[in-house]
Each structure stands twice: as C-alpha cells, then as structure tokens.
Amino acid sequence: MTDTPAVGRRERKKAATRQAIADAALELFLEHGFERVSVRDVAEKADVSTTTLFAHFPAKEALVFDREAEVEAALTAAVRERPAGQDVVEALRAHALTSWVRMASDPRRDGFTALVEQTPALREYGERMWMRHAGALGAAIAAELGRETDDLACSALARFVLEIPSLATGRHHSRATVETVFDLLIHGWQSSRHGSGDRPAPAHSPKDTPRPAK
Amino acid sequence: MTDTPAVGRRERKKAATRQAIADAALELFLEHGFERVSVRDVAEKADVSTTTLFAHFPAKEALVFDREAEVEAALTAAVRERPAGQDVVEALRAHALTSWVRMASDPRRDGFTALVEQTPALREYGERMWMRHAGALGAAIAAELGRETDDLACSALARFVLEIPSLATGRHHSRATVETVFDLLIHGWQSSRHGSGDRPAPAHSPKDTPRPAK
DNA sequence: GCAGAAACTGGAATGGTTGCACTTATTGAC
DNA sequence: GTCAATAAGTGCAACCATTCCAGTTTCTGC
C-alpha cells in the first residue's frame, strides 16, 4: 500500500512474463539439453504464445542470456565511475576480476556454465554477446580519455578486453587468465617473451631458411 | 594429355560442383541481395539439389565465404614460413598488410565487400569466420615459440590479430588501422597515450595515481 | 469513463537445415 | 574388363526457428 514506485502494473507484468519465459527456458534446457527443447516447448511451459516469446527475446539462444543489458551497464559503469585517479585499464581489470572471475567460480552457476560450454550454439552466441558490447565500451573509454568516440585504440582495447571471457573458458585458473591477458594488453607483446619464449633460432630451428624473401 | 596430377575425376567434379554453387550464389546475392535469395534459388541456379548444396557448405552464409581453408592456411604459413630472424608478430603484420589491406582495396571486390557490409548476417558470419582460425593461428605461434600449444599469451595474440579485419571495416585507411593496432599489440596500451589523448582529468581528477594497489 | 497504446494470442507462412531411401559415377583391386 | 565398395548427388518430406497478420485483452493518461 505504500509505494507506487513509478513502475506501473503493465511494466511489472511485462517483466514477470519475461522472467517466466527465461526461467522456463533454463529449467527445460538444463533438464533436456538446449537442442532437444523447442521454443514451442518453452513457450508452452511459460504459458505464453511463441509470438510473445519472440517479443521478449530475439532468438532462442537469447533465452539463456537474459541480463545482457545489465552486463553492459556494469561494464561501462566500471570505467565511468571508477575510483578517482584510477587508470581506465586498471578499472577494467578490477571489474573483470570481481565480476567475471567471481561469476565463473560461483557453484550455483555450474549447471548454467556446463550448459553453455557443451552447446556450440550457446558458446558462439555468448561470445558474440560480449562483442556486441564492444561499441558501448569503446565509446565509454574514449569519452573518459577525451578522444573521439570511435577512436581506434579505444575500440581495439574494448574488443580485446571483451575477448577475455572467451579466452578464459576451459581454463582452470580464470583469475590468472585475466591477469595474464591484462599484462599483455598493458605492456604489449614485446614484454611477454618470458623465460621459455622468443629465441626461435637456437633450440631446434631447421625452420629458418636464411633467405626466402619472395 | 600429359598429366594425371593425382587428382581423380571424382575430386575434380566435386570441386567443380562446389565452385558452381559458390558462383551461382554470389551472382544471385549480388543481383538481388542476400536475404531475398533462398538457398533453393541458389541450388536451382547451380543445378544441384539443396541437399548437395548443404553437403558442400555448412550454412547459407558460408556460400559467400568459400576460401576459408585457404585463408587459414595462408595465416599459419605466414608465421611458419616467415623470413629467418623475423619476429612472429612482425610476420603477422606483414601478412596483414599484404593480404588483407590489398584485398580490401581491390576494386574487383567492391561488390563483394559492399554485399558483406550491408548484410548483418554476413558481417557477423565473417567476423566469426576469422575467430574460427584463432585456434590454428594460436597453435602455430606457440609452436614457433616453443611454448605449449594452448599457451594463453599465444592464443590471446592470435585472437587480437584476428580482430583486426573486423576493426578495419568501415574505416577509410585500412593500412593505418593495421599499423595502429599492431603498435598497440606490440607496445601495449601504456604507450598509446599519444598527443591528443590523455588529459581528460581536468574536470575531476588526475587519473594516474601510480599505485592504488589492490 | 474512454481513447490509444502496448502486451498478448492463434495460426499460418517462410525458409534454412536435416534425415532418409535411393540412383549414379568413380575408383581400386582382381 | 568386371565388380564390389564407396562417394557424390537426388528428391522429398519433415523439423523448427522466426516472422507476419489480424485480431483481443489489458493497462495508462486524461
């Protein structure tokens, strides 16, 4: 009785419908597998028409990744509202470590993670999902640095950072992955010639034909 | 009558069929647009069944990008057969400049380029296509450097390099794009604070507190 | 209240993709 | 040459995601 918090009944119902669809989808996918469940099944279980389902989600794969909007908001917020004096890249690293690594190691998400990693269509969709945010992130970075909105270096940095989740899948130590890739981004490939690295000639090299040119 | 070059009639015919399909597809797409041509149309024009079409290409979009295999081969060859003493990254930059930039500016490809850029499904498929080579390229780099096949830095480098074509689309000076991104990759973000860039702080803060630690 | 917008519905159509049972062509071995 | 094995191709029907359409119901602002 106390609050009419500016969100009307309509909006609430819409959100509820959306949530019902996403919940139904995840449950069915987890139980039977993504490709063995049709969108009609999902719509059925959520008690809506398939038309409605597609009014809320642009594709079957999107049913699994609700939350895109929030993820992008968090991403740009991480650079825009970073602690005073903090480097943009540093802010991104911090965000990656707190948000992504934490999420990856949350046991409640194990089923979800397994589902995505075992379903090619979902892995692919997930990777593209990250890249869809590259524009927004690049623009945010550029804005912070006072460069043109489509500044190449900023766009590139955004894309590279957003490759990290994809690079991390299938690797055990996701924290170390984040750290390593950020080191590479900050200091460049040049400095990454650690111990074992970059003396292509000495060890085994029959592969150095002195002058092929072309 | 002189050569039986180890490729039998069967293989030749198969290749011919594949080519006929790709040719028919490109011609129809260029004339009517990608989405207004159905795979059945393409099959029809190439005088094969749609079943056969899908035996040669895994998806409608793939009809446009035949040549994937060659592209990947060229990519790994670029690092494997680079001039003696040349850095791996240098070899990749050279490859990018000669192969990609040249291709982008070839007027014979204008129609093709326009088709891809104007069709979201094709742009997307094209971007994913590059990333599909990341595994092979990363492995090739790792092999050259004597690291583990799935070495993180190598995988990351491969992916970052393969982002370049996508970053370059829509930008005028594709050569400059390649150069800039390689500079970023080699020397790192730290060094990319060029002239116009890095004094966004006037308003709220000097953002380089050297040690916020963690 | 009421008009208009927005959410939702049911069903049919479109079109990419796959499965199946079958024919035809090529090959390698005898 | 003959033949069996195999790969390429066929035609068709089915599947399913996605969209279109023509409504109906439900909110919202006035």
Side-chain angles (χ1 to χ4, degrees):
Chain A
M1 282 69 186
T2 43
D3 49 359
T4 312
V7 289
R9 192 198 318 280
R10 187 178 265 169
E11 249 179 288
R12 252 180 300 122
K13 283 198 173 182
K14 183 175 180 179
T17 304
R18 186 191 155 90
Q19 195 59 49
I21 295 170
D23 290 348
L26 190 57
E27 190 176 331
L28 287 178
F29 293 159
L30 284 176
E31 182 168 357
H32 302 108
F34 181 75
E35 34 239 348
R36 301 209 301 166
V37 175
S38 77
V39 291
R40 287 170 157 90
D41 295 336
V42 175
E44 184 64 27
K45 170 144 193 167
D47 197 33
V48 296
S49 68
T50 74
T51 312
T52 298
L53 186 154
F54 279 108
H56 285 275
F57 298 90
K60 187 186 182 186
E61 294 82 31
L63 292 169
V64 172
F65 303 104
D66 54 339
R67 292 305 214 291
E68 252 201 87
E70 302 164 41
V71 168
E72 176 165 312
L75 209 48
T76 53
V79 306
R80 219 187 331 261
E81 295 156 16
R82 68 192 187 283
Q86 191 180 48
D87 197 296
V88 168
V89 185
E90 194 50 50
L92 282 170
R93 170 154 63 183
H95 180 69
L97 287 173
T98 59
S99 298
W100 299 349
V101 173
R102 182 164 304 170
M103 178 165 299
S105 52
D106 184 341
R108 284 172 302 179
R109 311 235 170 192
D110 278 354
F112 173 84
T113 306
L115 175 68
V116 173
E117 296 199 4
Q118 284 165 16
T119 311
L122 287 179
R123 270 198 357 153
E124 179 155 330
Y125 191 88
E127 292 185 15
R128 289 210 63 69
M129 185 185 59
W130 287 110
M131 279 310 148
R132 243 173 272 133
H133 302 154
L137 181 57
I141 295 172
E144 284 306 303
L145 266 50
R147 302 190 190 176
E148 301 278 329
T149 304
D150 67 338
D151 178 90
L152 177 56
C154 296
S155 303
L157 178 64
R159 276 173 181 264
F160 296 166
V161 168
L162 292 172
E163 282 282 350
I164 295 179
S166 171
L167 277 165
T169 57
R171 284 177 202 274
H172 292 304
H173 212 321
S174 59
R175 174 173 298 274
T177 301
V178 171
E179 297 285 14
T180 303
V181 177
F182 267 102
D183 270 12
L184 183 57
L185 284 177
I186 294 170
H187 301 112
W189 173 261
Q190 241 180 14
S191 69
S192 88
R193 337 188 143 184
H194 339 275
S196 65
D198 186 60
R199 28 120 196 67
H204 54 71
S205 71
K207 59 188 39 154
D208 295 315
T209 317
R211 313 257 19 286
K214 90 113 79 22
Chain B
M1 278 69 189
T2 44
D3 50 358
T4 312
V7 289
R9 194 198 318 280
R10 191 180 261 172
E11 249 179 288
R12 253 181 299 122
K13 283 198 172 180
K14 183 175 179 179
T17 304
R18 184 190 156 91
Q19 195 58 49
I21 295 170
D23 290 349
L26 190 57
E27 189 177 332
L28 287 178
F29 293 159
L30 284 175
E31 180 168 359
H32 303 107
F34 181 75
E35 34 239 348
R36 301 210 300 167
V37 175
S38 76
V39 290
R40 288 164 169 105
D41 294 336
V42 175
E44 184 62 29
K45 170 144 193 167
D47 196 33
V48 297
S49 69
T50 74
T51 312
T52 297
L53 185 153
F54 279 108
H56 286 275
F57 298 91
K60 186 186 182 186
E61 293 81 31
L63 292 168
V64 171
F65 302 104
D66 55 338
R67 292 303 214 294
E68 252 203 89
E70 304 164 41
V71 168
E72 177 166 310
L75 210 46
T76 55
V79 306
R80 218 185 335 259
E81 294 155 18
R82 68 191 187 282
Q86 190 181 50
D87 197 296
V88 169
V89 185
E90 195 49 49
L92 281 170
R93 171 154 62 185
H95 179 71
L97 287 172
T98 59
S99 298
W100 300 350
V101 172
R102 180 164 305 168
M103 176 167 301
S105 51
D106 185 340
R108 283 172 304 178
R109 311 236 169 191
D110 278 355
F112 173 84
T113 305
L115 174 67
V116 173
E117 297 201 4
Q118 284 166 18
T119 312
L122 288 179
R123 271 199 352 157
E124 179 155 330
Y125 191 89
E127 293 186 14
R128 291 211 61 69
M129 185 186 59
W130 287 109
M131 280 308 148
R132 245 173 268 135
H133 302 313
L137 181 56
I141 296 172
E144 283 307 303
L145 266 49
R147 303 191 190 174
E148 301 277 331
T149 306
D150 66 338
D151 179 89
L152 178 56
C154 297
S155 304
L157 178 65
R159 276 172 181 265
F160 295 165
V161 168
L162 292 171
E163 283 282 351
I164 295 177
S166 169
L167 277 165
T169 57
R171 285 177 200 274
H172 293 305
H173 211 319
S174 59
R175 172 172 300 274
T177 301
V178 171
E179 296 285 14
T180 303
V181 177
F182 267 102
D183 270 12
L184 183 56
L185 283 177
I186 294 170
H187 300 112
W189 172 262
Q190 244 180 14
S191 70
S192 86
R193 338 190 138 186
H194 340 275
S196 67
D198 189 57
R199 34 119 197 70
H204 59 75
S205 81
K207 55 194 34 156
D208 296 313
T209 315
R211 315 260 26 280
K214 69 128 72 76

